[in-house]
Amino acid sequence: MTPTAPAVLPIPVSPELPETMTAAVLYGQEDVRIEQVPVPHANRGELIVKVAAALTCGTDLKVFRRGYHAKMIQPPALFGHELAGAVVELGEGITGFELGDRVVPINSAPCGRCYFCQRAQENLCENLLFNNGAYAEYIRIPAEIVTRNTLHVPAHVPLEYAALTEPLACALHGLEDSDPHPGDTVAVLGGGPLGLMILHIAVLSGCRVIAVVKHDAQAAVARALGAHDIVQTIQVDDVVQAVRALTPDQRGVDIAIEAVAIPETWEQAVDMVRNGGTVNFFGGPETGTKVQFDTNRLHYGDLTLKATFHHTPAICRRAFDLISSGKFQAQHFITGHSPLSELNQAFAQLLDRGTHNRIKTAILPE
Ligand SMILES: [Zn+2]
Ligand SMILES: [Zn+2]
């Protein structure tokens, strides 16, 4: 896997925006069309951002295959949610942003008023506002996101790296929720973008990481990101046994983080953790799926089971700092660039994980 250099794009800021723009519109299952649509304008408190790069994401692939996402997007709708760019239009009453500012607007903002927001669980906000439309030349940023979740990107940080803030925030949330301590052995199940991010930041926090991945390409990236051991699921008969074998007395790992999102790996995560350990069900399986656990093991093994969904504004800032600091190896996560007109081909390559060694593709508006 060779990481590609970030695209350096000059972003002209013109006072006059064009009338129409190229954008990806989601119509349904595997039906995304590149169309000409009106350029949005900023209402009070809003920003218009010229997209420098939008990143493909596992959630977008899920949406592409299923045609919708209950919480995030209902077709027909502008599509894509991981982006960074430059401010090209300011709504009335905007403070703290100027034309030309390089920004990363996060894909959602909590309301700040509901039961969950009042308890610092803004990821569960009852009124979580999602913004889509990153696969386009311009995107409108709603006022709530402008005030709560839009960050300034320092000059030394490539915009496409800054666009990793949102998925990294999810990964960081998952890791922090699992309460890791330096020296802990952490198994991360899943070699998708999120699994690899969790793996990398667990290594950065001083944990010993066992990566449980399927494909050779994923194993290679896991190694480059600092995984101490790798279990390739297609090479072993019993994944749980293979992971336990890498721990003293086959005790099991201190923490297992599931980032595959299927019931089978949820069960494996529980089976590979040591007594007193923590399991985080980070991957969200399809509605209606069920798992089976040995209740005796859960109880007498004194296991802590948790799940982590989404992120909060505070976690987004910590994720952003990790990227800006250069500690987080952003270049490993963007494995290709595609023009917006080839978005469908980029998705097809990402879905074919066995053949194409892609993690995330940066989609660049022409
Ligand atoms: Zn995403
Ligand atoms: Zn709320």
Side-chain angles (χ1 to χ4, degrees):
M1 175 87 43
T2 27
T4 53
V8 180
L9 301 166
I11 300 175
V13 181
S14 70
E16 287 282 299
L17 299 184
E19 290 205 343
T20 62
M21 65 173 184
T22 309
V25 185
L26 173 76
Y27 281 94
Q29 221 177 348
E30 304 205 9
D31 186 1
V32 172
R33 299 178 212 163
I34 307 300
E35 298 187 337
Q36 287 298 309
V37 303
V39 169
H41 285 284
N43 301 311
R44 191 176 171 79
E46 297 178 342
L47 296 175
I48 301 300
V49 167
K50 185 168 177 30
V51 178
L55 306 180
T56 58
C57 158
T59 305
D60 290 346
L61 292 175
K62 241 193 254 183
V63 169
F64 180 70
R65 278 195 316 247
R66 294 181 195 166
Y68 69 98
H69 187 293
K71 269 189 196 292
M72 280 182 65
I73 183 169
Q74 294 293 343
L78 294 170
F79 194 27
H81 64 272
E82 297 177 9
L83 78 135
V87 174
V88 290
E89 192 176 281
L90 303 162
E92 237 181 282
I94 286 281
T95 52
F97 294 96
E98 295 190 17
L99 291 180
D101 280 0
R102 303 162 88 241
V103 292
V104 51
I106 304 299
N107 67 331
S108 69
C111 74
R113 298 179 308 270
C114 74
Y115 178 90
F116 298 98
C117 283
Q118 304 270 308
R119 280 156 189 78
Q121 292 181 308
E122 296 115 312
N123 57 312
L124 301 175
C125 172
E126 288 166 344
N127 312 302
L128 206 55
L129 171 88
F130 282 98
N131 194 31
N132 291 290
Y135 301 132
E137 292 177 77
Y138 300 91
I139 182 171
R140 195 178 64 89
I141 311 302
E144 293 84 346
I145 296 182
V146 175
T147 46
R148 298 205 174 86
N149 238 351
T150 297
L151 308 171
H152 282 96
V153 182
H156 73 275
V157 182
L159 284 170
E160 65 185 59
Y161 292 180
L164 288 164
T165 302
E166 192 270 328
L168 183 60
C170 295
L172 191 58
H173 193 193
L175 183 68
E176 288 180 356
D177 266 1
S178 313
D179 194 23
H181 296 87
D184 279 356
T185 298
V186 179
V188 181
L189 294 83
L194 262 307
L196 294 170
M197 280 188 181
I198 294 171
L199 174 169
H200 185 44
I201 53 178
V203 170
L204 293 177
S205 348
C207 297
R208 175 179 166 247
V209 177
I210 302 173
V212 183
V213 300
K214 189 170 177 186
H215 304 294
D216 291 344
Q218 295 170 333
V221 186
R223 204 171 292 286
L225 293 171
H228 300 76
D229 289 293
I230 292 166
V231 170
Q232 253 185 281
T233 54
I234 44 172
Q235 289 176 358
V236 297
D237 293 331
D238 185 337
V239 172
V240 171
Q241 218 28 62
V243 170
R244 281 185 170 268
L246 294 166
T247 62
D249 305 323
Q250 308 199 28
R251 184 195 298 138
V253 295
D254 300 304
I255 298 169
I257 303 179
E258 198 281 349
V260 181
I262 57 172
E264 186 189 355
T265 39
W266 275 46
E267 291 171 357
Q268 288 172 352
V270 168
D271 289 339
M272 67 177 64
V273 82
R274 68 163 168 84
N275 284 351
T278 298
V279 178
N280 191 324
F281 302 117
F282 181 85
E286 273 188 73
T287 322
T289 46
K290 299 257 162 54
V291 286
Q292 281 204 316
F293 297 130
D294 178 346
T295 49
N296 184 280
R297 158 96 174 114
L298 295 189
H299 177 82
Y300 292 99
D302 199 355
L303 301 191
T304 300
L305 306 185
K306 20 188 25 167
T308 301
F309 166 70
H310 207 55
H311 47 65
T312 66
I315 292 168
C316 289
R317 278 156 182 77
R318 290 203 288 282
F320 184 68
D321 289 345
L322 259 182
I323 294 170
S324 306
S325 72
K327 276 186 232 151
F328 180 79
Q329 303 292 300
Q331 73 277 10
H332 284 289
F333 291 88
I334 298 169
T335 46
H337 297 85
S338 282
L340 179 54
S341 56
E342 288 168 23
L343 180 66
N344 275 290
Q345 292 91 315
F347 279 162
Q349 288 183 341
L350 287 159
L351 287 168
D352 184 7
R353 281 202 182 132
T355 325
H356 298 279
N357 307 338
R358 294 279 172 95
I359 301 176
K360 280 176 175 287
T361 300
I363 305 296
L364 310 174
E366 274 93 327

